[in-house]
Amino acid sequence: MTRSDPEQPKAELVIVSNRLPVDRVVNPDGSIDWRRSPGGLVTALEPVMRANDGAWIGWSGGTDPDLEPFVDDGLSLVPVALSSQEVEEFYEGFSNGTLWPLYHDVVAKPEFHREWWDSYVTVNRRFAEAAAETAAESATVWVHDYQMQLVPAMLREMRPDLRIGFFLHIPFPPAELFQQLPWRRQLLEGLLGADVVGFQRPGASQNFVRLVRQRVGHKTHRDMVYLPDGRTVQAGAFPISIDVEGLEQLARSEPVQQRAKEIREQLDNPKYILLGVDRLDYTKGIYARLRGYSELIAEGRLSVEDAVFVQVATPSRERVEQYRVLRDDIDRLVGRINGDLGRIGRPAISYLHSSYPREEMAALFRAADVMVVTPLRDGMNLVAKEYVACRYESDGALVLSEFAGAADELRQAFLINPYDINGMKASIMQAINADPKDLSKRMKAMRKTISEHDVKDWASSFLKVLSEARPMHHKQLRPARRT
Ligand code: ADQ
């Protein structure tokens, strides 16, 4: 079945994201398989996709030119091809070398290259075309994240009948930073092709509306943008969440509890296990966090006999220069800290690059007394919510950066400013020495918050607002049955 096949059934709900929710794996005999990548987005969208003959459009991660649409475990997947030059210019270049640092407070210096932009436009058009071919009449298309910001307007031009939503998973910067972008107006106009533009935090939504007013000159009122052709665009905050129930169930399972115990034993049963889990990214604040921790040891406020910091940092985007440099810097820092402060069999930091299955992640969250999440800027940070979901006995402490979206909801965490290393150190000590009753009160409150708002609620609240956003459309999505 090819994409242009007129007989091909069209989808009532189309998801567009940079990556497909599956990874292509080549078996030893050369045959090809697809392995589901365990992201929360799939968990959230799977039930609505199934109820609505949904299709998912995304890049397969490789550079094979002609992968046909296929069905994997009941999900229709439409791969979009990228050439190796596009991987370099659109993905590593404009997406991760320009937009990512710019949208994260310019924590690293964004690079502006005209060829990268051209490639971004070309690839966005390819995704928009794939969506236009896949969507049924008056269908709903939900476009995701910073790699795809031109898709809404391109798609609207091709298919004005569609209902289009956009959600940005990362922060949206204040006007003062966004203004640097040579293509600022094009990006805003790209997003304005959507009926609803969603962000993680209310501040991001306000940044967007303000920029639209200033830069594009449209009339706005609160979260609404009024376009000259009579169309309206609604902006808003839709903080993403996780599969709280599923993760808690996993954390409660016998094998995970057993594994958590084993982890503590393997670490020689220290009094305190601190944990950091991040993609190895300069926005995550890993360097300052580990430095702060090493100072606590060096100053004698903690000892390697009593405490260990387990830092899981999965390398990512390794073809981008800044990521390679960061990895080297952190590798060196950990080596120095362990060399200076560790004892035989007692490293100050247990540093791991691996990517783990969900069971192992849950066991780590169960084993850790203090979870340390210190991004310099983060759209949400799911790790913080995952830790809370796993603490079903309402114990454990969360140290959380104010600059993560999650801080809006997890108010009872030990909130820190990640640039203030002394403050961060004091909060880590406060978390370690806290009265268990205090910890339990905090954890209970945070658990209540996340259990009232899981990832399925996130998806359905976005889709509900989207379905109400264009009254001239009468087709509604079928709600997913709760499982
Ligand atoms: P990320 O920047 O990738 O996401 P985060 O929200 O923390 O950051 O999600 C990372 C996910 O990967 C978590 O589910 C975590 O458990 C998992 N993970 C991390 N290290 C792992 C490892 N070694 N092995 C296995 N799993 C690992 C972007 C934005 C965030 C936003 C999300 C969702 O940057 O701000 O919260 O999208 O919108």
Side-chain angles (χ1 to χ4, degrees), residues 100 169-170 200 240 277 279 284 312 314 354-356 361 378-383 386:
W100 179 269
H169 290 256
I170 68 172
Q200 302 274 27
I240 199 168
V277 173
R279 255 184 330 95
K284 302 290 184 183
V312 179
T314 335
S354 312
S355 189
Y356 294 108
M361 297 299 286
D378 213 334
M380 176 55 62
N381 196 290
L382 297 181
V383 170
E386 288 166 354

Side-chain angles (χ1 to χ4, degrees), residues 38-41 100 104 145-146 167-171 200 240-242 277-281 283-284 312-315 317 352-358 361 364-365 373 377-384 386 404-405 458:
L41 202 55
W100 179 269
H104 286 89
D145 228 359
Y146 61 104
F167 182 76
L168 186 70
H169 290 256
I170 68 172
Q200 302 274 27
I240 199 168
S241 190
I242 56 167
V277 173
D278 313 79
R279 255 184 330 95
L280 224 169
D281 194 296
T283 59
K284 302 290 184 183
V312 179
T314 335
R317 306 177 188 169
L352 306 156
H353 279 158
S354 312
S355 189
Y356 294 108
R358 284 173 71 229
M361 297 299 286
L364 278 165
F365 292 138
V373 182
R377 182 57 75 190
D378 213 334
M380 176 55 62
N381 196 290
L382 297 181
V383 170
E386 288 166 354
W458 167 77

Side-chain angles (χ1 to χ4, degrees), residues 219-451:
K219 235 178 84 184
T220 66
H221 178 62
R222 301 217 168 126
D223 274 346
M224 295 297 279
V225 178
Y226 301 89
L227 304 186
D229 64 1
R231 209 163 60 79
T232 55
V233 178
Q234 186 172 344
F238 300 85
I240 199 168
S241 190
I242 56 167
D243 175 14
V244 178
E245 214 182 292
L247 190 56
E248 176 171 339
Q249 252 174 36
L250 186 67
R252 283 177 183 273
S253 71
E254 190 49 40
V256 167
Q257 295 195 41
Q258 198 51 40
R259 178 64 192 139
K261 238 164 102 200
E262 221 174 270
I263 291 173
R264 287 200 81 102
E265 277 160 19
Q266 282 167 352
L267 292 165
D268 225 2
N269 284 315
K271 238 160 114 186
Y272 313 112
I273 297 178
L274 296 90
L275 175 67
V277 173
D278 313 79
R279 255 184 330 95
L280 224 169
D281 194 296
Y282 49 78
T283 59
K284 302 290 184 183
I286 305 170
Y287 194 95
R289 175 195 311 165
L290 297 181
R291 235 189 76 193
Y293 180 73
S294 74
E295 288 177 15
L296 288 174
I297 305 267
E299 291 158 7
R301 291 158 80 183
L302 281 175
S303 85
V304 290
E305 312 301 331
D306 285 345
V308 63
F309 199 116
V310 177
Q311 176 64 54
V312 179
T314 335
S316 82
R317 306 177 188 169
E318 292 222 87
R319 287 169 47 152
V320 179
E321 170 74 12
Q322 277 153 332
Y323 286 77
R324 280 198 301 268
V325 171
L326 175 78
R327 181 178 170 162
D328 287 349
D329 287 350
I330 295 183
D331 284 1
R332 227 175 299 124
L333 176 72
V334 172
R336 205 170 56 230
I337 294 172
N338 282 340
D340 289 350
L341 302 172
R343 304 223 214 297
I344 287 177
R346 290 280 186 186
I349 295 166
S350 175
Y351 182 53
L352 306 156
H353 279 158
S354 312
S355 189
Y356 294 108
R358 284 173 71 229
E359 291 74 12
E360 183 73 1
M361 297 299 286
L364 278 165
F365 292 138
R366 290 292 313 147
D369 303 294
V370 182
M371 183 80 217
V372 191
V373 182
T374 60
L376 304 174
R377 182 57 75 190
D378 213 334
M380 176 55 62
N381 196 290
L382 297 181
V383 170
K385 291 187 172 178
E386 288 166 354
Y387 179 71
V388 172
C390 288
R391 306 307 299 192
Y392 56 83
E393 286 171 330
S394 293
D395 56 357
L398 174 66
V399 174
L400 177 62
S401 163
E402 290 165 21
F403 301 135
D408 283 353
E409 292 162 275
L410 304 179
R411 303 303 305 163
Q412 297 78 9
F414 293 87
L415 293 174
I416 56 120
N417 168 2
Y419 292 96
D420 170 12
I421 295 190
N422 285 345
M424 177 159 72
K425 284 161 63 183
S427 294
I428 289 176
M429 289 314 298
Q430 203 193 336
I432 283 180
N433 294 323
D435 174 359
K437 275 204 208 111
D438 175 36
L439 291 182
S440 162
K441 219 167 99 195
R442 289 171 185 254
M443 193 53 79
K444 274 196 184 122
M446 293 192 283
R447 289 177 55 75
K448 181 159 183 287
T449 305
I450 63 165
S451 67

Side-chain angles (χ1 to χ4, degrees), residues 11 209 313 369 474:
V209 173
D369 303 294
H474 49 270

